[in-house]
Amino acid sequence: MKKIMVGVLLTITVILCNMVECYAEDSYETYNEIMMVDGKLMKYFTEEELKEYYQKVKKRQFWGINVYTVNQNVEATYISSTLYNVENKGDTDVSYELDVVVDVSNKTTWSVSGNLSGNAKGSIKSFKTDLAAKAGIDYSNTKTESRKETQKLKVTVEKGSRAIVYLMGSARITNGVCSAYICFVNVANCGFEYFTLVNQYPRMEKRKL
């Protein structure tokens, strides 16, 4: 019996080691600013809060994942990046036609937190569908690929002024913590976060020099 259990655990270890991938899946965490109408991003959870949340997912089971959702589908706005910063120090107005690349896909990306081992990352990856369902995310409709289109933007920069063009938009955020079990062994404990991009558009701001 002991040899059988050792063999099972070795098989599981090999499987998990081959399931490692890099998190987060996309770059929303590099956005300049994300403003939620309520709650906060996973990266701002305190140690005290995480300790409280993890107590809610410590439920031993043979196989599966326990999930505690802290924020579910909370509306948010964001500024992703600055595209152009144009100065006009001359004596006349200057006009430009700029190419602005906008992400037009309604996609959901996700990330997990903590200094996770390869086995832990592989465990969460293997339970990804279950995690999404228990967190209230429609996994069948989530997409990680970007679909972009180029838009033309006409900009007039008045003399003695600066024009700043940046991307912004709205999103929905779901986050919390989870624990994964395989053969009654707790193989992963981590925070998770889903970022659903709703729309994206360019915005221009002008300032005097």
Side-chain angles (χ1 to χ4, degrees), residues 160-174:
S161 67
R162 170 190 288 119
I164 302 171
V165 179
Y166 52 89
L167 285 178
M168 65 180 301
S170 58
R172 293 189 301 274
I173 295 172
T174 295

Side-chain angles (χ1 to χ4, degrees), residues 125-147:
K125 172 65 176 178
S126 68
F127 292 117
K128 184 176 179 181
T129 302
D130 193 20
L131 169 59
K134 290 183 177 181
I137 301 294
D138 185 358
Y139 182 76
S140 63
N141 288 332
T142 64
K143 295 178 287 187
T144 56
E145 73 275 9
S146 293
R147 186 168 64 85

Side-chain angles (χ1 to χ4, degrees), residues 32-94:
N32 291 347
E33 190 174 5
I34 299 176
M35 299 148 286
M36 300 171 64
V37 298
D38 190 29
K40 57 185 173 181
L41 295 171
M42 175 178 63
K43 65 182 180 180
Y44 297 125
F45 290 171
T46 66
E47 290 297 327
E48 292 75 16
E49 289 171 333
L50 286 171
K51 185 176 180 180
E52 175 189 345
Y53 300 153
Y54 281 132
Q55 290 297 320
K56 300 179 184 294
V57 294
K58 288 186 176 180
K59 301 173 184 177
R60 189 175 298 276
Q61 56 181 316
F62 175 70
W63 188 285
I65 190 166
N66 298 321
V67 175
Y68 177 70
T69 302
V70 179
N71 299 290
Q72 187 168 37
N73 288 321
V74 176
E75 294 182 0
T77 56
Y78 66 87
I79 297 174
S80 65
S81 60
T82 300
L83 302 178
Y84 297 96
N85 190 337
V86 184
E87 291 185 353
N88 181 3
K89 297 181 179 180
D91 297 324
T92 59
D93 297 348
V94 179

Side-chain angles (χ1 to χ4, degrees), residues 104-157:
V104 295
S105 56
N106 188 337
K107 63 179 182 178
T108 297
T109 55
W110 74 311
S111 64
V112 293
S113 69
N115 296 318
L116 301 179
S117 66
N119 283 2
K121 291 179 182 179
S123 301
I124 296 302
K125 172 65 176 178
S126 68
F127 292 117
K128 184 176 179 181
T129 302
D130 193 20
L131 169 59
K134 290 183 177 181
I137 301 294
D138 185 358
Y139 182 76
S140 63
N141 288 332
T142 64
K143 295 178 287 187
T144 56
E145 73 275 9
S146 293
R147 186 168 64 85
K148 300 180 183 294
E149 67 178 30
T150 301
Q151 301 177 0
K152 297 291 185 181
L153 180 65
K154 293 183 178 181
V155 177
T156 298
V157 185

